[in-house]
Amino acid sequence: MRIVFQEEPDTQADSDTSDQWLDEDIWGLPDDGFPTETSEMQEEVEAAVMPLYARYKWKVPPEPLTSVRLQRTLHIRYLKSGLEGLSKRFVVLDASQPWLVYWMLHGLDLLDEPLSQEVASRAVKTLARCQNSTGGFGGGPGQISHVATTYAAVNALAIVGTQEAYDLIDRSALLDWLRRLKQADGSFLMHEGGELDVRGIYCVLATVKLLNIVSPDLAANSEQFIACSQTYEGGIGGIPGVEAHGGYTFCAFAAMELLGKTELLDLDKLSRWLCFRQLAVEKGFQGRTNKLVDGCYSFWQGGAFPLLECALARRDGDEAGKVDLFNREALQEYILICCQGERGGLKDKPDKNPDYYHTCYVLSGLSIAQHRYAWDPVQEDIIVADGERGPVVVGNGQNLLPATHPVHNILPRHVTRIRAHFAQELPDA
């Protein structure tokens, strides 16, 4: 494991210069003198991160970066409080109940906090109330089945990993329902009569991969729909002809990985687009061109890099996959210094409040930034490959998280376990 240490401070420096950064324009691009709403919001974000980074970079003497700690105890307490019950203000997430379960369980998993038998069983019962006769899961009891909440529910059940969790899944009914959502152009409706975009393709393919109900008719033409959604910038939009976006790019790219068709994308343009989404000042990722940094893109953009590195290694040879395509240390600095809530939970940016969504995906991005991955042709899957270089951990060594699976975003052992459980194929799959 490689731990990144702060350089030794210059003891000869004049202490009068400790706040020099306040007066110098050392952040971002030169001001062109034509302010817009976008540029003003960007300046506000830079002003929020300045004093946080200044403690470790410019003040004399700077605090050592090794003092930066992931506040595990606070984050665990925050997540566990959510599992115990949510206040009435969460009514706005009434259609996201399987997501809330998944975000909390995965967050605790990444923090190495085991689930009690009581909590695991309660999670399964909560998800059971969201399940319909279709085999799919709605956003809450009595709500129609939706592929996104079905994906979240199956991921949560995979994390629980008990017989009770697996017995809840009705693979036969689920497969029939997904087939009804399949469109001739390769896309999927998110629900019957609903919208379609690349999220649906990813949610369906990731789910059927875990449950071993992959079938040729489900995959038909999906790679063409995704390839047509790649934009001139190199990122991928929700549907053909719309702006590239980090969330859609991850979903589309992960779906192509599941299809074994990443070569149909322009990987060079995609590489460029992804690399330019990491911001020089904030060090985290933005979701789209000219947008603000957001902690959740630590995974939605950061999680695409293991997929990209493996795709390039398959295309160009193994050496291509041994080069880091994003700044792992910088992303960890943004997460650890700018995204931790004082009372637990992780957040979008310094002036925001923590929430369960960001806690899950910021921790996922931290895990991705710490570990390296490689394509294993024997397992036909992406595996953790820290090898001789080892994990990269910014700050205290105890900040190291377990690796998450870059396609499914649950721990690899859960992927292996649920696939093994459902190894027997359905007769009509």
Side-chain angles (χ1 to χ4, degrees):
M1 179 176 70
R2 178 161 65 93
I3 301 176
V4 180
F5 294 95
Q6 172 73 25
E7 294 180 1
E8 290 297 320
D10 182 2
T11 57
Q12 301 299 316
D14 185 352
S15 61
D16 292 338
T17 65
S18 60
D19 291 331
Q20 182 179 4
W21 57 274
L22 287 170
D23 301 318
E24 293 188 2
D25 184 14
I26 59 174
W27 295 82
L29 296 174
D31 191 340
D32 61 6
F34 295 94
T36 65
E37 182 179 358
T38 300
S39 68
E40 289 172 350
M41 292 173 67
Q42 176 63 28
E43 287 179 1
E44 290 175 5
V45 174
E46 292 181 5
V49 301
M50 273 188 199
L52 299 178
Y53 284 135
R55 294 171 54 189
Y56 306 97
K57 299 294 183 181
W58 301 287
K59 287 203 171 183
V60 179
E63 294 183 22
L65 201 59
T66 48
S67 66
V68 177
R69 290 178 177 267
L70 178 67
Q71 300 299 321
R72 288 176 180 268
T73 302
L74 293 178
H75 303 324
I76 289 170
R77 185 186 306 158
Y78 174 78
L79 290 166
K80 282 188 169 181
S81 70
L83 288 175
E84 290 302 319
L86 299 172
S87 68
K88 62 183 180 181
R89 66 188 177 88
F90 281 89
V91 70
V92 296
L93 292 176
D94 183 59
S96 299
Q97 293 180 41
W99 281 113
L100 286 163
V101 175
Y102 163 61
W103 295 334
M104 294 176 194
L105 295 187
H106 184 48
L108 289 170
D109 226 8
L110 288 169
L111 293 166
D112 287 319
E113 181 67 13
L115 291 181
S116 69
Q117 185 176 357
E118 184 271 333
V119 169
S121 182
R122 195 152 51 83
V124 175
K125 290 179 172 59
T126 296
L127 294 171
R129 291 193 288 270
C130 300
Q131 190 179 32
N132 296 304
S133 60
T134 61
F137 294 79
Q143 299 180 24
I144 63 173
S145 299
H146 192 286
V147 296
T149 46
T150 298
Y151 159 87
V154 170
N155 268 9
L157 293 169
I159 293 170
V160 172
T162 61
Q163 191 64 46
E164 181 186 15
Y166 295 151
D167 287 346
L168 180 60
I169 298 168
D170 186 342
R171 293 195 297 163
S172 181
L174 181 59
L175 181 58
D176 288 342
W177 172 61
L178 294 176
R179 283 174 168 155
R180 294 198 297 273
L181 299 178
K182 178 71 178 188
Q183 304 298 294
D185 63 2
S187 63
F188 288 86
L189 298 176
M190 298 300 288
H191 58 85
E192 294 188 50
E195 78 276 20
L196 56 86
D197 54 52
V198 296
R199 291 175 306 156
I201 301 175
Y202 167 68
C203 289
V204 169
L205 295 180
T207 298
V208 300
K209 181 69 173 180
L210 291 181
L211 302 181
N212 196 30
I213 51 175
V214 178
S215 63
D217 57 321
L218 285 179
N221 299 323
S222 291
E223 72 275 13
Q224 296 300 329
F225 185 91
I226 293 172
C228 290
S229 300
Q230 187 171 25
T231 75
Y232 72 95
E233 288 185 285
I236 303 171
I239 59 175
V242 303
E243 181 185 12
H245 181 282
Y248 291 119
T249 295
F250 172 83
C251 289
F253 199 13
M256 284 297 224
E257 181 67 37
L258 289 163
L259 290 165
K261 298 290 185 180
T262 56
E263 73 278 0
L264 295 182
L265 296 171
D266 188 326
L267 296 178
D268 297 322
K269 289 178 68 176
L270 178 57
S271 299
R272 185 179 187 278
W273 185 81
L274 282 171
C275 289
F276 273 90
R277 300 289 70 76
Q278 188 170 20
L279 299 167
V281 174
E282 302 89 319
K283 305 185 181 184
F285 283 98
Q286 60 183 183
R288 293 177 285 161
T289 304
N290 291 330
K291 294 297 182 179
L292 302 177
V293 69
D294 187 333
C296 72
Y297 291 112
S298 301
F299 178 77
W300 295 124
Q301 301 285 29
F305 280 96
L307 312 180
L308 179 61
E309 289 163 359
C310 289
L312 290 173
R314 290 193 296 262
R315 188 192 73 178
D316 301 334
D318 289 341
E319 290 303 315
K322 295 180 181 178
V323 178
D324 290 340
L325 297 180
F326 72 107
N327 192 325
R328 297 174 180 276
E329 292 91 341
L331 178 58
Q332 292 181 57
E333 289 181 17
Y334 178 69
I335 291 170
L336 294 168
I337 296 173
C338 300
C339 294
Q340 296 196 78
E342 293 182 1
R343 290 180 289 181
L346 292 106
K347 51 190 177 179
D348 168 350
K349 51 180 72 71
D351 60 348
K352 300 293 185 179
N353 292 318
D355 58 67
Y356 297 110
Y357 166 82
H358 282 91
T359 299
C360 171
Y361 289 110
V362 174
L363 287 174
S364 299
L366 180 60
S367 172
I368 289 288
Q370 291 174 341
H371 296 279
R372 294 184 174 88
Y373 299 81
W375 171 253
D376 187 328
V378 176
Q379 298 185 43
E380 295 186 337
D381 198 3
I382 296 175
I383 62 170
V384 182
D386 288 322
E388 294 181 359
R389 294 192 292 174
V392 176
V393 181
V394 167
N396 187 277
Q398 295 181 356
N399 293 343
L400 179 64
L401 302 181
T404 191
H405 194 292
V407 173
H408 297 283
N409 199 25
I410 57 178
L411 300 193
R413 68 172 183 268
H414 301 323
V415 175
T416 301
R417 185 173 58 193
I418 193 170
R419 286 180 182 174
H421 180 84
F422 290 111
Q424 184 175 358
E425 296 182 359
L426 286 174
D428 60 345

